[in-house]
Amino acid sequence: MENEREEEIEDMSMSPPSLGSMQFAGSNGFGHSMEFMSQAYLPNMYTEIDIKIEDSNFNQDPPFPIYLKFEDVEYKVRGSQVASTNPVKSVMSKVATQHTMEEDRYKKILKGMTGSIGPGEILALMGPSGSGKTTLLRVVGGRLVDNVKGKITYNDVRFNPAVKRRIGFVTQEDVLFPQLTVEETLIFSAFLRLPSNMSEQQKYARVETTIKDLGLERCRHTKIGGGYLKSISGGERKRTSIGYEILVDPSLLLLDEPTSGLDSTAANRLLVTLQGLAKGGRTIITTIHQPSSRIFHMFDKLLLISEGYPIYYGKAKDAMQYFSSLRFTPEIPMNPAEFMLDLATGQVNNISFPQDVFKEQDSADSSKSVIEYLQLKYKETLEPKEKDENHGAANTPEHLQLAIQVKKDWTVSWLDQFFILYKRTFRARCKDYFDKLRLVQALGIALLLGLLWWKSSTNTEAQVRDQVGLMFYICIFWTSSCIFGAVYVFPFEKIYLVKERKADMYRLSVYYVSSTLCDMVAHVFYPTFFMLILYFMAGFKRTAACFFLTLFAVLLIAITSQGAGELFGAAVMSIQRAGIVASLVLMLFLLTGGYYVQHVPKVMQWLKYLSFVYYGFRLLLKVQYSGEELYECESKRGCRTLQSSPTFDTVNLEGGLTEAWVLIAMALCFRVFAYFCLRRRIDVRN
Ligand SMILES: Nc1ncnc2c1ncn2[C@@H]1O[C@H](COP(=O)(O)OP(=O)(O)O)[C@@H](O)[C@H]1O
Ligand SMILES: [Mg+2]
């Protein structure tokens, strides 16, 4: 079936497309004729289905062209019903029809957007804050699907997973790992997202070209930084974010407020870069809040939005003319973007306007009247024109329609993804792992405990009690430090995870496994280092078997605690709440750990079975002490076995090591649950 389709596409690509079918929109339609773009793409048609080959020729061939059309796009969100403070009104609203109630629950964000854009063009979405620019961008990018009305097509084909892979989305916030350098960020992205049949050199070459294209040579070895870390500039950060997206050569590039926070020179430079990318054959849509006049003139098309309604759509350079035809003109020299934003907010200070604006409207709210007037004029003049052009335009050539439905291959195998992600996670977190303070803490506490329990022994009941106290302290220390070390990982990385999952970069299971295994390095290293010091200072049994078994038990406790921490973190996914949940559960586990109280009332005994501290502590006792060992030999009553000591009243020192199995099972279960919690919490549909 698939083969048949591939042949079909190949056939079509070989026969030259008829000119008639290629003629495309005129003045307000796509800036480049369809003929030109599809011809440019033809030399590559033989390999069109084999995207891998097409990809490997990156930067030599034009990107796959995407013609985007959207018509009457509406979007609404479910909000809480507006509660009235007036009790009479509230009763009235309750008796309203079911239909009205249903309507009331929704708030319309986009109220009928129409437009089109093709390769080589930049469409700017402009409007005051809250007007719906980001929402429209997300709808067009296929990131908002529910409650969207209207028709959006890509080469006359509706959105589908194959289209998704051809879209690059640069969000307003730059979500980049602060510990990685610009170059590392791009390299990891390239290795995760480029198909496995591309050679390493080709991937490096693509990173190199991207760095050059975006002018990032100067900061390539600088860490992204942020917060307290010394960092690259805002413009460089934005360009890195764009580079991250264009590495995979998207045909449609969507950018949300790329210039916000940049000075005018950096903003201008960024726009020049975007122009270059568009000229290369990409379709670009960008939202922009308040562009300078220089930037404004770089846009090909403009969609001016006011409160979710369009008030202008067309060529950017014709916008001023349109408004002056409606008799809206600035009275003083004004940046066109500023003028239009004033109109979009209904502010007409220093702007002359036609008097019929207030004819039918209540003049009390002048800005509302202006907006409604402009919306009406748009509906009367521009909208029908754009719709006519959209409908009148020929369909996209069939080979482009078919090709956009073929999923661009990113098939990097699970294992390959794992190795790349493991490496990246390690790079991003290694500073944290080998933090000097952590090392000093482990060393300091091991030394302190070693001195307090210096060469402790088990000759008397009191000495046994002391040493058992140390055992429990080791349990507490590693349980708490591993739970707290793991509980914040997912809440902190949530933003990265959401972004990368939305871009389909890797499987969630790969992320989880590489994260947990990577962190395990720290959760194994520190307890080992700690035990190497403490074990011999505190005078525990000097046999290799005993040492390794004790170490094994401590590591098992650490790894189980890490799993528990991950589970709590993934379950709440909030930095503040993760800490609270972890400390509460930790307290419960410690209390039921079997040290403070051994003889628990029957009704409460089930609690200890949930507590892995309980199993960890028993395991430590079992590996360190043997029941037949004699002590109290110097007392009047003579030698007794350790098992007879009241300290081991509820522990059978001779029992097998079932606790080890229970801990292993718990460590696995916590992780499985953590993974499923993460799955539920990282919802990338919206
Ligand atoms: N999921 C949502 N729930 C409720 N309101 C929303 C949601 N998404 C957007 N909005 C509202 O829609 C309006 C437009 O938002 P947005 O597209 O982000 O505006 P812009 O990007 O133009 O500043 C805002 O008033 C915002 O509060
Ligand atoms: Mg926005």
Side-chain angles (χ1 to χ4, degrees), residues 284-313:
I284 296 185
I285 306 181
T286 174
T287 71
I288 200 136
H289 180 56
Q290 204 152 23
S292 67
S293 57
R294 247 191 326 168
I295 288 181
F296 182 80
H297 291 297
M298 292 189 199
F299 301 133
D300 299 290
K301 282 183 173 176
L302 172 70
L303 177 55
L304 188 60
I305 309 173
S306 170
E307 296 176 357
Y309 279 109
I311 56 172
Y312 176 78
Y313 174 78

PDB file of all heavy atoms in Angstrom, residues 284-313:
ATOM      1  N   ILE A 284       7.400  31.461   7.068  1.00  0.00           N
ATOM      2  CA  ILE A 284       7.640  31.922   8.440  1.00  0.00           C
ATOM      3  C   ILE A 284       6.464  32.750   8.948  1.00  0.00           C
ATOM      4  O   ILE A 284       5.981  33.661   8.273  1.00  0.00           O
ATOM      5  CB  ILE A 284       8.949  32.748   8.518  1.00  0.00           C
ATOM      6  CG1 ILE A 284      10.131  31.843   8.167  1.00  0.00           C
ATOM      7  CG2 ILE A 284       9.119  33.377   9.895  1.00  0.00           C
ATOM      8  CD1 ILE A 284      11.481  32.477   8.308  1.00  0.00           C
ATOM      9  N   ILE A 285       6.025  32.406  10.151  1.00  0.00           N
ATOM     10  CA  ILE A 285       4.999  33.227  10.805  1.00  0.00           C
ATOM     11  C   ILE A 285       5.555  33.654  12.147  1.00  0.00           C
ATOM     12  O   ILE A 285       6.074  32.830  12.907  1.00  0.00           O
ATOM     13  CB  ILE A 285       3.685  32.461  11.034  1.00  0.00           C
ATOM     14  CG1 ILE A 285       3.178  31.855   9.725  1.00  0.00           C
ATOM     15  CG2 ILE A 285       2.633  33.380  11.628  1.00  0.00           C
ATOM     16  CD1 ILE A 285       1.877  31.101   9.864  1.00  0.00           C
ATOM     17  N   THR A 286       5.486  34.930  12.437  1.00  0.00           N
ATOM     18  CA  THR A 286       6.007  35.385  13.713  1.00  0.00           C
ATOM     19  C   THR A 286       5.020  36.328  14.373  1.00  0.00           C
ATOM     20  O   THR A 286       4.378  37.135  13.692  1.00  0.00           O
ATOM     21  CB  THR A 286       7.391  36.060  13.539  1.00  0.00           C
ATOM     22  OG1 THR A 286       7.797  36.605  14.788  1.00  0.00           O
ATOM     23  CG2 THR A 286       7.395  37.168  12.499  1.00  0.00           C
ATOM     24  N   THR A 287       4.868  36.196  15.670  1.00  0.00           N
ATOM     25  CA  THR A 287       4.053  37.187  16.369  1.00  0.00           C
ATOM     26  C   THR A 287       5.005  38.279  16.800  1.00  0.00           C
ATOM     27  O   THR A 287       6.197  38.042  16.994  1.00  0.00           O
ATOM     28  CB  THR A 287       3.390  36.615  17.634  1.00  0.00           C
ATOM     29  OG1 THR A 287       4.405  36.408  18.607  1.00  0.00           O
ATOM     30  CG2 THR A 287       2.669  35.326  17.359  1.00  0.00           C
ATOM     31  N   ILE A 288       4.510  39.472  16.900  1.00  0.00           N
ATOM     32  CA  ILE A 288       5.384  40.563  17.288  1.00  0.00           C
ATOM     33  C   ILE A 288       4.541  41.594  18.000  1.00  0.00           C
ATOM     34  O   ILE A 288       3.398  41.842  17.642  1.00  0.00           O
ATOM     35  CB  ILE A 288       6.119  41.114  16.046  1.00  0.00           C
ATOM     36  CG1 ILE A 288       7.350  41.886  16.452  1.00  0.00           C
ATOM     37  CG2 ILE A 288       5.213  41.931  15.146  1.00  0.00           C
ATOM     38  CD1 ILE A 288       8.543  41.567  15.618  1.00  0.00           C
ATOM     39  N   HIS A 289       5.089  42.113  19.068  1.00  0.00           N
ATOM     40  CA  HIS A 289       4.273  43.004  19.874  1.00  0.00           C
ATOM     41  C   HIS A 289       4.410  44.452  19.413  1.00  0.00           C
ATOM     42  O   HIS A 289       3.449  45.105  19.051  1.00  0.00           O
ATOM     43  CB  HIS A 289       4.642  42.839  21.338  1.00  0.00           C
ATOM     44  CG  HIS A 289       3.848  43.707  22.233  1.00  0.00           C
ATOM     45  ND1 HIS A 289       2.475  43.674  22.234  1.00  0.00           N
ATOM     46  CD2 HIS A 289       4.196  44.651  23.116  1.00  0.00           C
ATOM     47  CE1 HIS A 289       2.025  44.564  23.092  1.00  0.00           C
ATOM     48  NE2 HIS A 289       3.047  45.176  23.642  1.00  0.00           N
ATOM     49  N   GLN A 290       5.631  44.961  19.405  1.00  0.00           N
ATOM     50  CA  GLN A 290       5.811  46.358  19.051  1.00  0.00           C
ATOM     51  C   GLN A 290       7.075  46.532  18.209  1.00  0.00           C
ATOM     52  O   GLN A 290       8.117  46.928  18.729  1.00  0.00           O
ATOM     53  CB  GLN A 290       5.919  47.188  20.324  1.00  0.00           C
ATOM     54  CG  GLN A 290       5.545  48.609  20.090  1.00  0.00           C
ATOM     55  CD  GLN A 290       4.994  49.262  21.354  1.00  0.00           C
ATOM     56  OE1 GLN A 290       5.266  48.810  22.458  1.00  0.00           O
ATOM     57  NE2 GLN A 290       4.230  50.305  21.196  1.00  0.00           N
ATOM     58  N   PRO A 291       7.001  46.238  16.918  1.00  0.00           N
ATOM     59  CA  PRO A 291       8.216  46.309  16.113  1.00  0.00           C
ATOM     60  C   PRO A 291       8.618  47.751  15.793  1.00  0.00           C
ATOM     61  O   PRO A 291       7.756  48.625  15.738  1.00  0.00           O
ATOM     62  CB  PRO A 291       7.816  45.581  14.837  1.00  0.00           C
ATOM     63  CG  PRO A 291       6.350  45.762  14.741  1.00  0.00           C
ATOM     64  CD  PRO A 291       5.828  45.845  16.129  1.00  0.00           C
ATOM     65  N   SER A 292       9.903  47.954  15.578  1.00  0.00           N
ATOM     66  CA  SER A 292      10.358  49.264  15.127  1.00  0.00           C
ATOM     67  C   SER A 292       9.941  49.396  13.667  1.00  0.00           C
ATOM     68  O   SER A 292       9.594  48.405  13.013  1.00  0.00           O
ATOM     69  CB  SER A 292      11.867  49.349  15.247  1.00  0.00           C
ATOM     70  OG  SER A 292      12.457  48.463  14.342  1.00  0.00           O
ATOM     71  N   SER A 293      10.016  50.615  13.117  1.00  0.00           N
ATOM     72  CA  SER A 293       9.545  50.768  11.737  1.00  0.00           C
ATOM     73  C   SER A 293      10.449  49.993  10.782  1.00  0.00           C
ATOM     74  O   SER A 293      10.004  49.453   9.785  1.00  0.00           O
ATOM     75  CB  SER A 293       9.450  52.234  11.355  1.00  0.00           C
ATOM     76  OG  SER A 293      10.691  52.847  11.534  1.00  0.00           O
ATOM     77  N   ARG A 294      11.739  49.895  11.147  1.00  0.00           N
ATOM     78  CA  ARG A 294      12.670  49.150  10.293  1.00  0.00           C
ATOM     79  C   ARG A 294      12.252  47.682  10.197  1.00  0.00           C
ATOM     80  O   ARG A 294      12.236  47.077   9.133  1.00  0.00           O
ATOM     81  CB  ARG A 294      14.074  49.223  10.899  1.00  0.00           C
ATOM     82  CG  ARG A 294      15.001  50.023  10.009  1.00  0.00           C
ATOM     83  CD  ARG A 294      16.418  49.930  10.388  1.00  0.00           C
ATOM     84  NE  ARG A 294      16.713  49.806  11.806  1.00  0.00           N
ATOM     85  CZ  ARG A 294      17.914  49.479  12.268  1.00  0.00           C
ATOM     86  NH1 ARG A 294      18.884  49.223  11.438  1.00  0.00           N
ATOM     87  NH2 ARG A 294      18.157  49.394  13.550  1.00  0.00           N
ATOM     88  N   ILE A 295      11.895  47.147  11.346  1.00  0.00           N
ATOM     89  CA  ILE A 295      11.486  45.740  11.376  1.00  0.00           C
ATOM     90  C   ILE A 295      10.159  45.571  10.646  1.00  0.00           C
ATOM     91  O   ILE A 295       9.969  44.628   9.875  1.00  0.00           O
ATOM     92  CB  ILE A 295      11.395  45.242  12.831  1.00  0.00           C
ATOM     93  CG1 ILE A 295      12.805  45.107  13.393  1.00  0.00           C
ATOM     94  CG2 ILE A 295      10.634  43.937  12.926  1.00  0.00           C
ATOM     95  CD1 ILE A 295      12.890  44.604  14.788  1.00  0.00           C
ATOM     96  N   PHE A 296       9.259  46.509  10.874  1.00  0.00           N
ATOM     97  CA  PHE A 296       7.934  46.411  10.256  1.00  0.00           C
ATOM     98  C   PHE A 296       8.040  46.249   8.738  1.00  0.00           C
ATOM     99  O   PHE A 296       7.310  45.480   8.133  1.00  0.00           O
ATOM    100  CB  PHE A 296       7.114  47.658  10.602  1.00  0.00           C
ATOM    101  CG  PHE A 296       5.727  47.618  10.050  1.00  0.00           C
ATOM    102  CD1 PHE A 296       4.730  46.900  10.685  1.00  0.00           C
ATOM    103  CD2 PHE A 296       5.416  48.265   8.866  1.00  0.00           C
ATOM    104  CE1 PHE A 296       3.456  46.831  10.162  1.00  0.00           C
ATOM    105  CE2 PHE A 296       4.140  48.196   8.335  1.00  0.00           C
ATOM    106  CZ  PHE A 296       3.157  47.480   8.989  1.00  0.00           C
ATOM    107  N   HIS A 297       9.007  46.969   8.151  1.00  0.00           N
ATOM    108  CA  HIS A 297       9.131  46.909   6.696  1.00  0.00           C
ATOM    109  C   HIS A 297       9.740  45.601   6.189  1.00  0.00           C
ATOM    110  O   HIS A 297       9.799  45.378   4.991  1.00  0.00           O
ATOM    111  CB  HIS A 297       9.923  48.117   6.187  1.00  0.00           C
ATOM    112  CG  HIS A 297       9.145  49.388   6.346  1.00  0.00           C
ATOM    113  ND1 HIS A 297       7.955  49.617   5.690  1.00  0.00           N
ATOM    114  CD2 HIS A 297       9.346  50.484   7.120  1.00  0.00           C
ATOM    115  CE1 HIS A 297       7.467  50.787   6.049  1.00  0.00           C
ATOM    116  NE2 HIS A 297       8.284  51.343   6.919  1.00  0.00           N
ATOM    117  N   MET A 298      10.182  44.765   7.100  1.00  0.00           N
ATOM    118  CA  MET A 298      10.746  43.480   6.662  1.00  0.00           C
ATOM    119  C   MET A 298       9.669  42.413   6.486  1.00  0.00           C
ATOM    120  O   MET A 298       9.928  41.336   5.967  1.00  0.00           O
ATOM    121  CB  MET A 298      11.762  42.985   7.674  1.00  0.00           C
ATOM    122  CG  MET A 298      13.003  43.829   7.728  1.00  0.00           C
ATOM    123  SD  MET A 298      14.198  42.978   8.741  1.00  0.00           S
ATOM    124  CE  MET A 298      15.284  44.290   9.148  1.00  0.00           C
ATOM    125  N   PHE A 299       8.476  42.681   6.987  1.00  0.00           N
ATOM    126  CA  PHE A 299       7.424  41.677   6.866  1.00  0.00           C
ATOM    127  C   PHE A 299       6.790  41.722   5.485  1.00  0.00           C
ATOM    128  O   PHE A 299       6.633  42.796   4.917  1.00  0.00           O
ATOM    129  CB  PHE A 299       6.333  41.906   7.913  1.00  0.00           C
ATOM    130  CG  PHE A 299       6.831  41.867   9.322  1.00  0.00           C
ATOM    131  CD1 PHE A 299       6.478  42.841  10.231  1.00  0.00           C
ATOM    132  CD2 PHE A 299       7.663  40.845   9.736  1.00  0.00           C
ATOM    133  CE1 PHE A 299       6.946  42.795  11.536  1.00  0.00           C
ATOM    134  CE2 PHE A 299       8.133  40.788  11.038  1.00  0.00           C
ATOM    135  CZ  PHE A 299       7.776  41.774  11.934  1.00  0.00           C
ATOM    136  N   ASP A 300       6.432  40.554   4.996  1.00  0.00           N
ATOM    137  CA  ASP A 300       5.721  40.522   3.724  1.00  0.00           C
ATOM    138  C   ASP A 300       4.238  40.737   3.965  1.00  0.00           C
ATOM    139  O   ASP A 300       3.597  41.512   3.283  1.00  0.00           O
ATOM    140  CB  ASP A 300       5.927  39.167   3.033  1.00  0.00           C
ATOM    141  CG  ASP A 300       7.385  38.938   2.736  1.00  0.00           C
ATOM    142  OD1 ASP A 300       7.900  39.630   1.862  1.00  0.00           O
ATOM    143  OD2 ASP A 300       8.026  38.111   3.414  1.00  0.00           O
ATOM    144  N   LYS A 301       3.743  40.002   4.946  1.00  0.00           N
ATOM    145  CA  LYS A 301       2.308  40.091   5.196  1.00  0.00           C
ATOM    146  C   LYS A 301       2.054  40.443   6.647  1.00  0.00           C
ATOM    147  O   LYS A 301       2.899  40.165   7.519  1.00  0.00           O
ATOM    148  CB  LYS A 301       1.665  38.744   4.887  1.00  0.00           C
ATOM    149  CG  LYS A 301       1.490  38.512   3.417  1.00  0.00           C
ATOM    150  CD  LYS A 301       0.787  37.225   3.211  1.00  0.00           C
ATOM    151  CE  LYS A 301       0.443  37.017   1.769  1.00  0.00           C
ATOM    152  NZ  LYS A 301      -0.162  35.704   1.575  1.00  0.00           N
ATOM    153  N   LEU A 302       0.887  40.974   6.878  1.00  0.00           N
ATOM    154  CA  LEU A 302       0.560  41.396   8.241  1.00  0.00           C
ATOM    155  C   LEU A 302      -0.864  40.975   8.573  1.00  0.00           C
ATOM    156  O   LEU A 302      -1.788  41.144   7.757  1.00  0.00           O
ATOM    157  CB  LEU A 302       0.685  42.926   8.319  1.00  0.00           C
ATOM    158  CG  LEU A 302       0.209  43.577   9.609  1.00  0.00           C
ATOM    159  CD1 LEU A 302       1.163  43.245  10.743  1.00  0.00           C
ATOM    160  CD2 LEU A 302       0.107  45.088   9.443  1.00  0.00           C
ATOM    161  N   LEU A 303      -1.019  40.423   9.747  1.00  0.00           N
ATOM    162  CA  LEU A 303      -2.358  40.147  10.264  1.00  0.00           C
ATOM    163  C   LEU A 303      -2.465  40.924  11.566  1.00  0.00           C
ATOM    164  O   LEU A 303      -1.757  40.619  12.537  1.00  0.00           O
ATOM    165  CB  LEU A 303      -2.542  38.638  10.480  1.00  0.00           C
ATOM    166  CG  LEU A 303      -3.849  38.163  11.089  1.00  0.00           C
ATOM    167  CD1 LEU A 303      -5.050  38.651  10.307  1.00  0.00           C
ATOM    168  CD2 LEU A 303      -3.902  36.642  11.148  1.00  0.00           C
ATOM    169  N   LEU A 304      -3.300  41.939  11.559  1.00  0.00           N
ATOM    170  CA  LEU A 304      -3.437  42.782  12.743  1.00  0.00           C
ATOM    171  C   LEU A 304      -4.657  42.302  13.520  1.00  0.00           C
ATOM    172  O   LEU A 304      -5.758  42.212  12.960  1.00  0.00           O
ATOM    173  CB  LEU A 304      -3.595  44.240  12.294  1.00  0.00           C
ATOM    174  CG  LEU A 304      -3.565  45.306  13.369  1.00  0.00           C
ATOM    175  CD1 LEU A 304      -2.258  45.293  14.138  1.00  0.00           C
ATOM    176  CD2 LEU A 304      -3.777  46.700  12.754  1.00  0.00           C
ATOM    177  N   ILE A 305      -4.442  41.972  14.773  1.00  0.00           N
ATOM    178  CA  ILE A 305      -5.517  41.367  15.562  1.00  0.00           C
ATOM    179  C   ILE A 305      -5.924  42.304  16.696  1.00  0.00           C
ATOM    180  O   ILE A 305      -5.066  42.904  17.349  1.00  0.00           O
ATOM    181  CB  ILE A 305      -5.055  40.021  16.176  1.00  0.00           C
ATOM    182  CG1 ILE A 305      -4.447  39.130  15.085  1.00  0.00           C
ATOM    183  CG2 ILE A 305      -6.185  39.310  16.867  1.00  0.00           C
ATOM    184  CD1 ILE A 305      -3.828  37.864  15.633  1.00  0.00           C
ATOM    185  N   SER A 306      -7.196  42.374  16.916  1.00  0.00           N
ATOM    186  CA  SER A 306      -7.682  43.144  18.054  1.00  0.00           C
ATOM    187  C   SER A 306      -8.761  42.327  18.744  1.00  0.00           C
ATOM    188  O   SER A 306      -9.772  41.981  18.139  1.00  0.00           O
ATOM    189  CB  SER A 306      -8.249  44.465  17.555  1.00  0.00           C
ATOM    190  OG  SER A 306      -8.926  45.101  18.600  1.00  0.00           O
ATOM    191  N   GLU A 307      -8.517  41.998  19.986  1.00  0.00           N
ATOM    192  CA  GLU A 307      -9.460  41.202  20.802  1.00  0.00           C
ATOM    193  C   GLU A 307      -9.942  39.940  20.085  1.00  0.00           C
ATOM    194  O   GLU A 307     -11.126  39.615  20.097  1.00  0.00           O
ATOM    195  CB  GLU A 307     -10.651  42.075  21.194  1.00  0.00           C
ATOM    196  CG  GLU A 307     -10.242  43.227  22.087  1.00  0.00           C
ATOM    197  CD  GLU A 307     -11.395  44.166  22.417  1.00  0.00           C
ATOM    198  OE1 GLU A 307     -12.506  43.948  21.893  1.00  0.00           O
ATOM    199  OE2 GLU A 307     -11.162  45.111  23.172  1.00  0.00           O
ATOM    200  N   GLY A 308      -9.062  39.286  19.420  1.00  0.00           N
ATOM    201  CA  GLY A 308      -9.397  38.019  18.775  1.00  0.00           C
ATOM    202  C   GLY A 308      -9.998  38.154  17.386  1.00  0.00           C
ATOM    203  O   GLY A 308     -10.238  37.161  16.711  1.00  0.00           O
ATOM    204  N   TYR A 309     -10.249  39.406  16.962  1.00  0.00           N
ATOM    205  CA  TYR A 309     -10.750  39.649  15.608  1.00  0.00           C
ATOM    206  C   TYR A 309      -9.640  40.220  14.741  1.00  0.00           C
ATOM    207  O   TYR A 309      -8.874  41.051  15.224  1.00  0.00           O
ATOM    208  CB  TYR A 309     -11.862  40.707  15.622  1.00  0.00           C
ATOM    209  CG  TYR A 309     -13.215  40.203  16.002  1.00  0.00           C
ATOM    210  CD1 TYR A 309     -13.767  40.558  17.226  1.00  0.00           C
ATOM    211  CD2 TYR A 309     -13.960  39.410  15.139  1.00  0.00           C
ATOM    212  CE1 TYR A 309     -15.026  40.129  17.593  1.00  0.00           C
ATOM    213  CE2 TYR A 309     -15.225  38.980  15.498  1.00  0.00           C
ATOM    214  CZ  TYR A 309     -15.753  39.332  16.728  1.00  0.00           C
ATOM    215  OH  TYR A 309     -16.994  38.906  17.086  1.00  0.00           O
ATOM    216  N   PRO A 310      -9.605  39.865  13.471  1.00  0.00           N
ATOM    217  CA  PRO A 310      -8.628  40.536  12.606  1.00  0.00           C
ATOM    218  C   PRO A 310      -9.160  41.924  12.249  1.00  0.00           C
ATOM    219  O   PRO A 310     -10.376  42.098  12.083  1.00  0.00           O
ATOM    220  CB  PRO A 310      -8.588  39.640  11.371  1.00  0.00           C
ATOM    221  CG  PRO A 310      -9.827  38.826  11.414  1.00  0.00           C
ATOM    222  CD  PRO A 310     -10.349  38.809  12.803  1.00  0.00           C
ATOM    223  N   ILE A 311      -8.264  42.916  12.163  1.00  0.00           N
ATOM    224  CA  ILE A 311      -8.722  44.208  11.646  1.00  0.00           C
ATOM    225  C   ILE A 311      -7.943  44.585  10.392  1.00  0.00           C
ATOM    226  O   ILE A 311      -8.281  45.522   9.704  1.00  0.00           O
ATOM    227  CB  ILE A 311      -8.688  45.341  12.699  1.00  0.00           C
ATOM    228  CG1 ILE A 311      -7.302  45.495  13.294  1.00  0.00           C
ATOM    229  CG2 ILE A 311      -9.731  45.127  13.771  1.00  0.00           C
ATOM    230  CD1 ILE A 311      -7.196  46.732  14.181  1.00  0.00           C
ATOM    231  N   TYR A 312      -6.871  43.851  10.127  1.00  0.00           N
ATOM    232  CA  TYR A 312      -6.204  44.024   8.831  1.00  0.00           C
ATOM    233  C   TYR A 312      -5.530  42.723   8.449  1.00  0.00           C
ATOM    234  O   TYR A 312      -4.899  42.070   9.276  1.00  0.00           O
ATOM    235  CB  TYR A 312      -5.153  45.154   8.871  1.00  0.00           C
ATOM    236  CG  TYR A 312      -4.405  45.259   7.540  1.00  0.00           C
ATOM    237  CD1 TYR A 312      -5.002  45.877   6.443  1.00  0.00           C
ATOM    238  CD2 TYR A 312      -3.141  44.689   7.383  1.00  0.00           C
ATOM    239  CE1 TYR A 312      -4.352  45.922   5.217  1.00  0.00           C
ATOM    240  CE2 TYR A 312      -2.476  44.729   6.168  1.00  0.00           C
ATOM    241  CZ  TYR A 312      -3.090  45.355   5.082  1.00  0.00           C
ATOM    242  OH  TYR A 312      -2.454  45.399   3.875  1.00  0.00           O
ATOM    243  N   TYR A 313      -5.665  42.366   7.203  1.00  0.00           N
ATOM    244  CA  TYR A 313      -4.873  41.257   6.692  1.00  0.00           C
ATOM    245  C   TYR A 313      -4.462  41.612   5.275  1.00  0.00           C
ATOM    246  O   TYR A 313      -5.283  42.025   4.458  1.00  0.00           O
ATOM    247  CB  TYR A 313      -5.646  39.935   6.690  1.00  0.00           C
ATOM    248  CG  TYR A 313      -4.841  38.861   6.009  1.00  0.00           C
ATOM    249  CD1 TYR A 313      -3.796  38.238   6.694  1.00  0.00           C
ATOM    250  CD2 TYR A 313      -5.045  38.545   4.675  1.00  0.00           C
ATOM    251  CE1 TYR A 313      -2.992  37.317   6.055  1.00  0.00           C
ATOM    252  CE2 TYR A 313      -4.244  37.619   4.035  1.00  0.00           C
ATOM    253  CZ  TYR A 313      -3.215  37.010   4.734  1.00  0.00           C
ATOM    254  OH  TYR A 313      -2.402  36.114   4.119  1.00  0.00           O
TER     255      TYR A 313
END
